[in-house]
Amino acid sequence: MKILVTGVAGFIGAALAKSLLERGDSIVGVDNLNAYYDVNLKKARLSRLTSFSNFEFHKLDLVKKDSLTELFSNSHPQRVIHLAAQAGVRYSLTHPEAYIDSNIVGFLNVLEGCRAFRVEHLVFASSSSVYGANTRLPLSPHDIADHPMSLYGATKRANELMAHSYSHLFEIPTTGLRFFTVYGPWGRPDMAIFMFTRSILAGKPIEVFNHGEHRRDFTYIDDIVEGVIRVADQPAKGNPQWSGMSPDPASSLSPFRVYNIGGSSPVWLNQMIDTLETTLGTKAKRIPVARQPGDVIETCADAKDLESAIGFTPRTPLMEGIRKFVEWYKDYYGQT
């Protein structure tokens, strides 16, 4: 299988590409290597992929449609896993244009490539952020998700709607995966577990938003990768039971699906910090601060549909996942 993976130098993209390469797929990887966070970390992730003969990398910005079209024309991928995006809820408050460029224009260009070159299946990253003001738990893909609380969440919801329109108009199988707070080795430096680990080991205080009184459904990277691969191997199909009189947001008569991918075991932020302290053997200097604009109070994934479709849901306990992350962090940054 030849698979185009966008955002291949990113946290999820690099881990996914490595697993696909190890099972024998040919991977065409794309990333613009932007400076949103440490580019050296992105290059280090890439270095783990370049030793594979079935991997080719292209530094390319998805906003540049002509370059992306040329790549589709030359590589003819059978499937596309689209993970490239401008991430981060708080960054969207100060840099909104980056989200429109990367997450809307870039995604449109990916859709156009899939349409023009008849890709068998497009799997794309959505986010739990689409649920926004929805407080009915667990969060279900069958519920309406039309009240995002950040521009980041709004662009991810827009991606789902855009994908459905292409599935309807051009019969392109598309599947959106709503990721829930992904963490683990080689993770993003702007995520809480990474930032807290760095500060605690350096003896610096950590800011605990909302006084630690919100919960997150932390999902370990290996579980995410396995879920994405299993979904990608099953192109979306239309739901013959779908009705316009009672429209289900998670499916369609067209070949379109949306799934949650999360462990359905949310923990309080303070509980996560407790676990991190135990793993590091060091107490954190906690500074309680107010809730940040755009943050939601609680996430918890209803992943029953995912389990029914692919026979898998995330299962790595937080303690185990944090232990593996800390081991990687200390090794990568040469700390004991």
Side-chain angles (χ1 to χ4, degrees), residues 128-141:
S128 61
S129 293
V130 303
Y131 288 107
N134 181 358
T135 57
R136 182 162 66 176
L137 299 174
L139 298 167
S140 170

Side-chain angles (χ1 to χ4, degrees), residues 5-20 31 37 45 48-49 81-85 87 123-127 152 156 177-188 191 219-229 261:
V5 177
T6 71
V8 75
F11 172 32
I12 300 174
L16 174 74
K18 187 171 184 292
S19 289
L20 291 170
D31 205 291
Y37 62 81
R45 294 184 189 130
R48 304 171 73 223
L49 307 178
I81 301 177
H82 175 61
L83 303 172
V123 177
F124 63 96
S126 186
S127 168
Y152 170 68
K156 287 299 186 179
L177 292 173
R178 292 174 177 171
F179 296 148
F180 281 68
T181 315
V182 188
Y183 75 102
W186 298 95
R188 277 176 30 210
M191 298 295 286
T219 313
Y220 188 63
I221 181 62
D222 289 359
D223 291 333
I224 291 288
V225 167
E226 181 167 353
V228 172
I229 290 175
I261 180 163

Side-chain angles (χ1 to χ4, degrees), residues 11-12 15 179-188 191-194 197 216-225 263 265 267 272 275-276 314-326 328:
F11 172 32
I12 300 174
F179 296 148
F180 281 68
T181 315
V182 188
Y183 75 102
W186 298 95
R188 277 176 30 210
M191 298 295 286
I193 290 177
F194 198 117
T197 297
R216 290 291 179 269
D217 199 348
F218 292 98
T219 313
Y220 188 63
I221 181 62
D222 289 359
D223 291 333
I224 291 288
V225 167
S265 300
V267 300
M272 182 273 281
T275 303
L276 193 55
R315 58 175 67 92
T316 303
L318 182 66
M319 177 66 83
E320 179 183 345
I322 285 182
R323 177 183 59 79
K324 291 180 177 178
F325 169 76
V326 168
W328 167 81

Side-chain angles (χ1 to χ4, degrees), residues 261-274:
I261 180 163
S264 306
S265 300
V267 300
W268 295 104
L269 180 60
N270 279 323
Q271 180 185 348
M272 182 273 281
I273 298 171
D274 291 342

